[in-house]
Amino acid sequence: MSAETDFIWWKHGVLCEIWPRSYYDSNGDGSGDIQGIIQKLDYLAELGIDGIWLGPVNKSPMVDSGYDVADYRSIDPLYGTMADFEQLLAEAHKRNIHIIMDMVVNHTSDQHAWFKESRLSRDNPKRDWYIWHDRKRGRPPSNWKAAMGGGVWQWDNATKQYYLHSFFKEQPDLNWRNPAVRQEIYATMRFWLDKGVDGFRCDVLNYFLKDDQLRDNPTSLSAGIFNGFQKHLYSRSQPGMEEILRQMRAVLDGYKDRMMVGEVFVAQDGPAMAAAFMGDGDLCHLSFEFSLLFTKWDAARFKEMINGWFAVLSAKGWPCNVLSNHDQPRAVTRWAAGADTQKRAKVMAALLLTLRGTPFLYYGEEIGMPDSPIKRGDVMDTVGKMYWPIVKGRDAERSPMQWNAGPQAGFSSVKPWLPLNADYSEINVAAQEKDPLSVLNFYRRLIALRREKPALQRGGYEQVPSDKNILAYRRTYHNEEILVILNFAGERKVQAIDSSKRWKVLLGTQRSSESAIDKDGLAVYPYEALILEEDK
Ligand code: GLC
């Protein structure tokens, strides 16, 4: 099969995470909505993306911004109706854009009908859909810490038992050891697949199974505050997950071309676990691995992290790469706040779009949009409300998309649900469309190049020796060879290149296709991103 005919959208394409509340407000209530996304599909098609990961849109009391679902088969009125969602699917598909939904099934909202029933009595038929336990010697059944702080056990006075919540107490964990729960979730997957949804981003997959003997986690100071200073040996990532993943995969395999990408949130277990969730390409199609996202701005560290990630993948495992998402400060804020922001943003873009594996952009990344600093009075994320000022929450990276320099950045006709970034008059889509050297136009060219060059989409990856400030690698496919050179430093550096070959510039931040390449050692400009091809 030729590279052109076996294009698999989730493997060879480019995906983009959209935070629905912040993309575009079509009805003037200050919040983004599904109709708003429909209106921006042409923009996304022009950017060149193949799929959207849509943040959670199911009915939710929004204690965790939609990651607390009250009804899996509904659309929250904040975002629109089921008809709007079906229209989004149809309009996206017309433009060859796939839609994957967030599937948040480690836990439900405490407002979900199942939990309301479950907590009614100890013998309720839904009791065993959640994880209930008695007191153990007057104390909670285990010492496990929740991801949002405090313990995982919440006392329920009505039935005098604790229920388990890995996140907020309003997010009780489902009991994945109960076959009835599994069947219901698989039926829900089919409900959306039947509508034409192309796949799922599965929230915190590695939290589904907990130790059934409820053994205590060991204390570990090095695990840090976000892990509650304990190693989550028993409260997460337990054996048995493979069976669940196989069952989920079987549901997807009943349809054509559908996929799932797992969020395997394993700060402490490293990339090996993310790789294990893909099996030999027969479990999750992709799984997120966050070590790149947590790396410092340092070419040598990136080399290590990339090698570490690629080394643990099985023969059929496929990497997926992400630099920003809705849970962490944006990449430009982490790596490029202050000086040289746009230059560094282009280095990141070139990295993400030329690395082996499926790239996931985060909305606004393509214009180098930074976090929008948040004040106490504007906080929406419960994490920020609870832990301000030590932890300010995740609102800063969820701010409204900056469409133009007009009122409300062209996002809405009224004051948006979160404050706009003060710099939107400079950093916005309309301004960057007009500027051939903008970050946006660089992303567009990179995505187009990736589509054109099989070596970038699916080729092999090999690091090339370089200065410690440079990350250089070859991507090869059959007789196509591409060399990527990324200078992380604000100074000129020298990169040796194979002088037995002739090279031409495919794309670069500081050179054009006419630039000659000096074979005896290339003087790389500060923050230069350069993509060369062997000229045959
Ligand atoms: C995931 C989501 C995060 C959410 C948590 C609980 O990590 O990305 O936003 O708070 O799961 O559902």
Side-chain angles (χ1 to χ4, degrees):
M1 246 189 239
S2 77
E4 292 66 38
T5 55
D6 69 349
F7 183 85
I8 303 170
W9 65 273
W10 56 264
K11 189 167 183 178
H12 306 127
V14 176
L15 280 78
C16 177
E17 176 186 359
I18 286 185
W19 191 248
R21 197 162 180 181
S22 294
Y23 207 56
Y24 183 60
D25 172 17
S26 75
N27 63 355
D29 64 357
S31 287
D33 43 53
I34 293 173
Q35 282 298 336
I37 299 172
I38 295 173
Q39 290 183 32
K40 297 297 181 185
L41 284 172
D42 286 333
Y43 165 78
L44 290 161
E46 209 178 326
L47 181 58
I49 64 149
D50 300 275
I52 295 172
W53 151 24
L54 192 64
V57 290
N58 296 138
K59 235 175 227 164
S60 164
M62 306 282 171
V63 171
D64 190 8
S65 309
Y67 284 98
D68 47 327
V69 176
D71 177 356
Y72 288 111
R73 300 190 188 200
S74 68
I75 297 294
D76 195 285
L78 181 67
Y79 301 119
T81 61
M82 190 61 88
D84 293 328
F85 181 79
E86 286 165 357
Q87 190 188 342
L88 170 65
L89 275 180
E91 291 295 327
H93 288 166
K94 269 189 215 161
R95 294 163 177 84
N96 285 325
I97 295 177
H98 299 77
I99 301 280
I100 66 178
M101 293 184 88
D102 229 305
M103 193 170 69
V104 190
V105 290
N106 170 71
H107 43 268
T108 68
S109 158
D110 62 352
Q111 299 307 306
H112 195 295
W114 304 339
F115 188 69
K116 288 185 179 170
E117 278 184 51
S118 184
R119 77 192 312 177
L120 283 177
S121 66
R122 290 188 183 205
D123 56 5
N124 185 282
K126 291 270 182 323
R127 186 67 168 182
D128 202 28
W129 281 44
Y130 293 84
I131 303 170
W132 293 93
H133 276 282
D134 290 330
R135 264 193 181 123
K136 201 164 128 192
R137 284 179 276 212
R139 316 234 325 245
S142 71
N143 72 346
W144 303 345
K145 293 281 190 255
M148 304 306 201
V152 298
W153 297 104
Q154 176 67 25
W155 181 250
D156 201 43
N157 218 15
T159 54
K160 307 257 183 295
Q161 276 191 318
Y162 289 97
Y163 66 84
L164 185 148
H165 61 94
S166 293
F167 293 87
F168 290 122
K169 66 178 188 331
E170 293 85 356
Q171 293 167 296
D173 282 33
L174 282 165
N175 176 11
W176 272 89
R177 297 193 192 273
N178 181 343
V181 168
R182 294 188 190 187
Q183 289 319 314
E184 178 55 32
I185 300 297
Y186 303 154
T188 305
M189 288 170 73
R190 285 190 209 99
F191 170 84
W192 292 106
L193 293 167
D194 286 339
K195 286 193 184 291
V197 164
D198 298 288
F200 302 100
R201 174 267 185 190
C202 306
D203 193 57
V204 291
L205 269 183
N206 60 308
Y207 283 58
F208 283 21
L209 294 179
K210 295 93 181 157
D211 180 41
D212 46 11
Q213 297 170 49
L214 308 181
R215 281 171 282 190
D216 277 349
N217 281 331
T219 302
S220 156
L221 285 183
S222 63
I225 189 165
F226 293 109
N227 285 306
F229 297 107
Q230 58 180 224
K231 188 156 170 51
H232 287 268
L233 202 57
Y234 297 113
S235 45
R236 301 172 191 166
S237 312
Q238 296 304 294
M241 201 51 207
E242 186 176 329
E243 183 187 60
I244 295 176
L245 295 175
R246 274 195 203 291
Q247 292 167 347
M248 290 168 70
R249 178 69 182 244
V251 173
L252 290 158
D253 286 349
Y255 298 77
K256 194 168 173 283
D257 267 357
R258 315 295 169 99
M259 62 83 78
M260 57 177 173
V261 48
E263 184 202 23
V264 185
F265 204 82
V266 283
Q268 60 191 359
D269 301 293
M273 185 160 297
F277 274 67
M278 286 185 275
D280 197 16
D282 52 352
L283 302 176
C284 286
H285 298 73
L286 299 172
S287 63
F288 286 126
E289 205 291 302
F290 296 118
S291 54
L292 282 189
L293 190 149
F294 291 124
T295 304
K296 300 196 293 182
W297 182 256
D298 173 346
R301 292 288 295 149
F302 271 89
K303 281 182 207 174
E304 251 175 70
M305 290 297 158
I306 293 166
N307 283 342
W309 175 213
F310 290 2
V312 293
L313 295 169
S314 67
K316 291 200 192 124
W318 184 250
C320 103
N321 302 310
V322 50
L323 303 181
S324 290
N325 68 21
H326 63 280
D327 287 326
Q328 306 296 335
R330 285 174 178 269
V332 287
T333 301
R334 269 181 285 120
W335 290 329
D340 301 321
T341 311
Q342 306 292 299
K343 288 182 188 159
R344 288 189 182 203
K346 289 182 185 172
V347 176
M348 293 170 212
L351 171 70
L352 188 66
L353 289 156
T354 61
L355 211 48
R356 179 175 160 84
T358 306
F360 272 79
L361 273 55
Y362 183 48
Y363 80 97
E365 178 176 333
E366 75 278 15
I367 56 170
M369 189 169 128
D371 280 9
S372 175
I374 192 92
K375 295 200 215 73
R376 174 69 186 98
D378 292 324
V379 171
M380 296 293 287
D381 179 14
T382 309
V383 172
K385 289 183 184 163
M386 284 174 74
Y387 300 112
W388 188 278
I390 299 161
V391 177
K392 296 184 175 166
R394 297 162 291 179
D395 295 314
E397 59 263 26
R398 299 174 178 178
S399 63
M401 179 70 180
Q402 297 165 197
W403 293 105
N404 59 45
Q408 320 301 349
F411 164 77
S412 172
S413 54
V414 300
K415 186 170 177 263
W417 75 289
L418 276 178
L420 285 158
N421 208 322
D423 60 17
Y424 80 80
S425 53
E426 281 151 50
I427 301 176
N428 64 68
V429 171
Q432 294 200 13
E433 280 183 327
K434 286 190 220 115
D435 172 5
L437 296 178
S438 65
V439 176
L440 176 61
N441 278 314
F442 191 58
Y443 267 89
R444 283 179 174 166
R445 282 200 287 272
L446 277 165
I447 295 173
L449 183 66
R450 189 182 168 92
R451 186 171 301 281
E452 202 184 298
K453 298 287 174 193
L456 294 179
Q457 258 175 37
R458 59 190 74 198
Y461 168 92
E462 194 194 326
Q463 269 169 23
V464 169
S466 64
D467 180 276
K468 66 176 174 30
N469 293 290
I470 287 187
L471 175 56
Y473 45 88
R474 289 173 353 119
R475 301 291 320 276
T476 47
Y477 186 78
H478 298 311
N479 59 359
E480 189 178 282
E481 176 171 347
I482 290 179
L483 179 62
V484 179
I485 301 167
L486 306 173
N487 186 357
F488 279 60
E491 298 153 26
R492 283 190 92 137
K493 298 286 166 193
V494 174
Q495 174 65 39
I497 55 175
D498 183 348
S499 58
S500 65
K501 294 176 179 164
R502 283 197 308 149
W503 298 94
K504 65 174 184 208
V505 177
L506 283 179
L507 183 60
T509 46
Q510 273 106 317
R511 300 175 212 239
S512 74
S513 51
E514 277 81 54
S515 311
I517 297 299
D518 181 354
K519 291 191 287 190
D520 305 323
L522 191 65
V524 186
Y525 294 105
Y527 298 122
E528 183 172 23
L530 182 59
I531 305 169
L532 304 177
E533 183 178 36
E534 190 189 353
D535 196 2
K536 288 194 173 140

